[in-house]
Structure formats: C-alpha cells, structure tokens
Amino acid sequence: MRNTLYKAYLDDFAAFCNKLGGTTAEVMSDLLAFEADRRALNITLNSIGTELTRDDRKKLYSNFGLLYPHGHNELSIAEDFDQIRAAMEKVPAYANVFNKVQQGGFLYCAGF
C-alpha cells in the first residue's frame, strides 16, 4: 500500500514540477528521476524471493526516470543480483556505481 501511494506521489509531483517549468523543472526533474530509479532498484532488491509477481513489481515503479521504460522491464523480471546489475549498467549514470560494487556488497555504500 505504501509503495503504491509513494509511486502516485512521485508521479504527480514530477508532473507538477514539469508544469512549473524553468529552473524548478530542470533541477527537480533530475532529483525526482534519481529517486524514482532508486525506488525501482530497492523494490526489485527487496522483492526477490517473495510472493510479489513481476507484474505487481512493475506496477510499483514510477513512470519516469533514467530507467524508464526499458530498465523497468528488465528489473521487473530480474531474479538475482547479476540480472539487476545488468539492467542498471545499461544506464551510463549508474554503470560506474555497479562497477564499484562487488556481488554481495551493499549498494548503500556505493551511494544508493
């Protein structure tokens, strides 16, 4: 429930900021895109090995961000860390982060 509400909040707030335009849209779009991608990564990591289906997982991802839509498709079917890494490394902004993280390491230490 909380993840569904937060997705709606992020999507609405991103639309609001973009509607304002100018510096607000420019700065906030980058920040909100990172937050949307961070949440997609966390949802994926935390749902591996649970009853959450791939479709349910995908419904929790925001409708924007650097991972949207192709990264979301790959994350929604990921079943282990290597598949998550492969999806994330396709986005240049995140490739360096995952190059520094060894399998089994903590993403928090890498800036996430």
Side-chain angles (χ1 to χ4, degrees):
M1 175 68 118
R2 181 175 36 167
N3 284 325
T4 302
L5 290 173
Y6 201 84
K7 174 200 183 298
Y9 157 75
L10 265 182
D11 288 346
D12 289 347
F13 190 52
F16 172 75
C17 290
N18 287 332
K19 184 178 177 183
L20 290 176
T23 305
T24 300
E26 183 179 329
V27 172
M28 290 305 295
S29 65
D30 290 341
L31 292 172
L32 292 172
F34 177 78
E35 177 64 11
D37 291 344
R38 185 191 68 78
R39 287 190 55 78
L41 175 61
N42 283 341
I43 288 165
T44 304
L45 285 168
N46 291 328
S47 65
I48 291 175
T50 67
E51 295 178 7
L52 193 66
T53 67
R54 293 173 178 178
D55 289 334
D56 290 340
R57 185 189 296 179
K58 194 171 181 180
K59 290 177 189 175
L60 296 174
Y61 300 152
S62 291
N63 297 321
F64 66 98
L66 299 179
L67 293 170
Y68 180 77
H70 302 294
H72 288 177
N73 292 334
E74 291 185 37
L75 287 176
S76 71
I77 62 172
E79 296 189 13
D80 61 35
F81 186 79
D82 289 330
Q83 291 174 338
I84 293 170
R85 177 193 301 252
M88 296 294 291
E89 285 180 335
K90 292 180 182 173
V91 177
Y94 302 136
N96 289 335
V97 172
F98 278 84
N99 287 335
K100 294 177 184 177
V101 177
Q102 295 176 354
Q103 185 169 351
F106 293 100
L107 295 178
Y108 179 78
C109 296
F112 274 81

